[in-house]
Amino acid sequence: MFAWFAPALLLFAVMGARGGVAFAVGFLHEFVFVLAGVSWIATVLTVHGDIPRAGGIGVLALIAAYSGCWAGALAWCVARMARGGAGRALLAAPFLWVVMEFAQGRVPAIGFPWNLLGYAVSSNLALVQITALTGIYGLSFLVMAFNALVVWVFAAADWRRRIVFPTAGAAVILLAMIVLPRFVPQAPAAHFARAVQLNFPEAWRTPPDWYEINAAALAEIKRISVAPSAAAPDLVIWPESPTPFTFQDSQFAAMAAEIAVRAKSPVLMSGVEWKAAEARTPGAAPRVVPFNSAVLYDAQGYRIFSYDKIHLVPFGEYEPFPLIHRVVRTLTEDVGGFSPGGEARVGRLPGGRGFGVFICYESIFPGEVRRFAAGGAELLVNISNDGWFGRSTAPEQHLRIARVRAVENRRWLLRVTNNGYTVSVDPYGRIVARLPVDARLAGDLPYDFRADETLYTRWGDWFAWLCALISAILVLQTFWSVPTGAQQGRA
């Protein structure tokens, strides 16, 4: 509910403010939001990164400050436009907000579009359908536009505006939240997938005799992966896992093939894939580098498809700034050192039906997930290991984000995790089945295939780019229309 009025407080505060003051207000607004919204980052770094609590808080503060600069720039632009009239500034605010979110997600290496404004209201089945047209940015625009309307109403001198518009706005919100979700279509499912939660503990390092230590657990996991059921699943999916699984390990490869044969269906698994890479210098020996990969085995136990994770987690799976690594070794000593994949590959299941698998962190990048659907994927699969987050708000936030990817592309989404949340999401955003969290078990999740394309699947981030164009025009106009004296006096 905070999403419906918290940005309005920011707009109220910057109306009529000087540029520097507006920037500071926007910075503080976002700084506090990030500290509260992703406080789990400090905990993860402390518990699993082996750094002091103060260090984890410091990294969180840096992330908050970085995001605060974006919000500060937005507030500065709104305050500048307000010199030409509050209506103009409030009209521009939703466009500027979309640009801020869109730009943050596209920054190389450190882009982190996690808690976008639209996700706060995405649980409403009626409202989230707009993302099939515009992506998540259209939903953020809608929420910010409402906040701008609130400011416009309460800043007015006309008492009738203060009564009529809030009443009408409240009626529209109630209609959208209570009545309209009932009209969202149902999506039948003709297939089931066996989702397996491994529920292995998180660990940066594993002992060389890991397989021997966990023999009983692996035997149980194999049993539940192939156990018969009335649903007759035609696909088995394992999650991204903190275990030392590698497809070059004959023991793991044999286990994967065995499960596929016994299940009599394809099996999708995650692990480390070691591949040859080009030498860094001419004449040097070829390198063998690791990839975070997903591999599909057919019912005969043969590998038929693989996908290498493209968008790696900075400071977790690779070091985006090697120079920093030499200075801040405490944080990055155990960085995975993975190499990024280069292609959003689409796999084929029996019958030739296409599917796309994206791994963990990749789910927060709508434009990248869209490429699978645009490339022919009729089903989306998200394998993830959210165990690093513990029982913080992060797993639920991650699920909320991934769920929108299903709606944007009108695809069923099978989300399989190490310890939760493992769910099946229909093309309209309903969570139709889920498994209990923090438990080693398997469940049959319904799914189906769809080949139609949404406007977002076909045209991508057209709406965000349109917002960028409109924002640029509106901001540039302030330099043409504001008198020089006013610029100097209010800078």
Side-chain angles (χ1 to χ4, degrees):
M1 291 300 295
F2 289 108
W4 293 110
F5 62 84
L9 298 178
L10 170 62
L11 295 177
F12 267 122
V14 301
M15 286 295 169
R18 292 180 177 272
V21 173
F23 182 92
V25 170
F27 178 91
L28 182 61
H29 180 275
E30 184 71 5
F31 187 84
V32 172
F33 171 76
V34 172
L35 289 183
V38 294
S39 59
W40 47 265
I41 290 178
T43 303
V44 170
L45 292 174
T46 301
V47 174
H48 301 292
D50 194 28
I51 67 173
R53 178 67 176 172
I57 295 174
V59 172
L60 174 61
L62 287 175
I63 295 173
Y66 166 75
S67 296
C69 290
W70 286 97
L74 177 145
W76 182 88
C77 290
V78 171
R80 182 177 180 83
M81 290 183 189
R83 301 177 192 175
R88 179 180 180 180
L90 294 173
L91 176 66
F95 296 98
L96 291 167
W97 189 277
V98 169
V99 172
M100 178 186 72
E101 292 188 342
F102 186 50
Q104 284 192 74
R106 296 180 70 87
V107 174
I110 58 175
F112 188 56
W114 186 267
N115 274 345
L116 305 186
L117 185 61
Y119 291 128
V121 300
S122 64
S123 58
N124 182 272
L125 274 182
L127 294 179
V128 76
Q129 302 311 314
I130 194 177
T131 63
L133 303 175
T134 63
I136 184 61
Y137 304 110
L139 194 51
S140 293
F141 181 93
L142 179 66
V143 178
M144 192 60 188
F146 179 84
N147 279 270
L149 179 62
V150 169
V151 177
W152 179 74
V153 167
F154 286 97
D158 187 352
W159 65 269
R160 287 171 296 185
R161 187 194 295 182
R162 295 185 178 184
I163 296 176
V164 174
F165 282 93
T167 303
V172 170
I173 291 177
L174 288 175
L175 179 68
M177 290 187 169
I178 299 175
V179 179
L180 293 184
R182 301 178 184 179
F183 295 93
V184 176
Q186 299 285 338
H191 302 264
F192 285 88
R194 174 66 53 84
V196 183
Q197 274 189 186
L198 305 181
N199 198 37
F200 279 118
E202 309 301 321
W204 278 111
R205 300 180 180 87
T206 54
D209 57 347
W210 185 91
Y211 278 94
E212 289 74 18
I213 295 173
N214 293 277
L218 289 172
E220 173 64 11
I221 290 170
K222 286 193 290 185
R223 184 191 68 79
I224 62 178
S225 296
V226 301
S229 73
D234 51 17
L235 175 64
V236 178
I237 305 175
W238 280 26
E240 182 188 37
S241 171
T243 55
F245 293 152
T246 171
F247 293 105
Q248 279 61 53
D249 183 337
S250 59
Q251 190 172 357
F252 176 61
M255 179 175 64
E258 176 192 352
I259 292 174
V261 171
R262 290 177 59 190
K264 299 179 181 179
S265 65
V267 175
L268 182 66
M269 289 189 168
S270 170
V272 179
E273 181 92 304
W274 291 86
K275 299 180 181 180
E278 295 182 2
R280 292 177 176 173
T281 57
R287 299 178 297 132
V288 178
V289 296
F291 293 82
N292 186 350
S293 304
V295 171
L296 183 71
Y297 291 80
D298 66 14
Q300 289 72 47
Y302 295 104
R303 285 181 50 149
I304 59 173
F305 168 79
S306 67
Y307 164 74
D308 301 325
K309 185 176 182 179
I310 297 172
H311 208 126
L312 302 174
V313 180
F315 305 107
E317 292 177 317
Y318 83 110
E319 173 53 74
F321 308 114
L323 182 61
I324 295 179
H325 176 68
R326 302 174 188 173
V327 180
V328 195
R329 290 187 179 274
T330 305
L331 175 60
T332 58
E333 188 64 36
D334 291 310
V335 166
F338 286 102
S339 294
E343 180 184 1
R345 302 189 63 203
V346 174
R348 297 291 166 184
L349 294 170
R353 310 308 294 263
F355 77 96
V357 54
F358 49 101
I359 302 175
C360 193
Y361 179 72
E362 292 182 306
S363 66
I364 74 174
F365 298 96
E368 297 182 12
V369 174
R370 166 197 159 269
R371 287 190 292 172
F372 293 105
E378 302 167 78
L379 167 71
L380 296 177
V381 179
N382 176 214
I383 55 177
S384 185
N385 172 29
D386 289 355
W388 301 106
F389 302 139
R391 283 301 114 205
S392 67
T393 58
E396 185 176 350
Q397 292 171 354
H398 205 182
L399 169 60
R400 184 182 299 122
I401 292 169
R403 174 177 165 269
V404 175
R405 305 289 86 85
V407 184
E408 288 171 337
N409 300 284
R410 283 287 184 261
R411 295 293 186 268
W412 280 86
L413 169 67
L414 296 173
R415 187 169 191 269
V416 183
T417 67
N418 179 49
N419 68 330
Y421 298 99
T422 296
V423 301
S424 171
V425 182
D426 80 3
Y428 299 97
R430 291 185 184 86
I431 296 178
V432 297
R434 69 169 69 211
L435 301 187
V437 301
D438 297 327
R440 177 170 294 140
L441 47 77
D444 296 330
L445 303 181
Y447 76 95
D448 215 320
F449 301 97
R450 286 186 62 154
D452 54 316
E453 288 188 346
T454 65
L455 186 64
Y456 181 73
T457 300
R458 185 170 300 176
W459 289 0
D461 294 315
W462 67 272
F463 181 76
W465 284 113
L466 178 62
C467 288
L469 175 62
I470 294 174
S471 296
I473 293 173
L474 292 174
V475 172
L476 288 175
Q477 281 183 338
T478 66
F479 292 93
W480 302 330
S481 58
V482 176
T484 304
Q487 292 183 35
Q488 295 175 348
R490 300 191 185 188

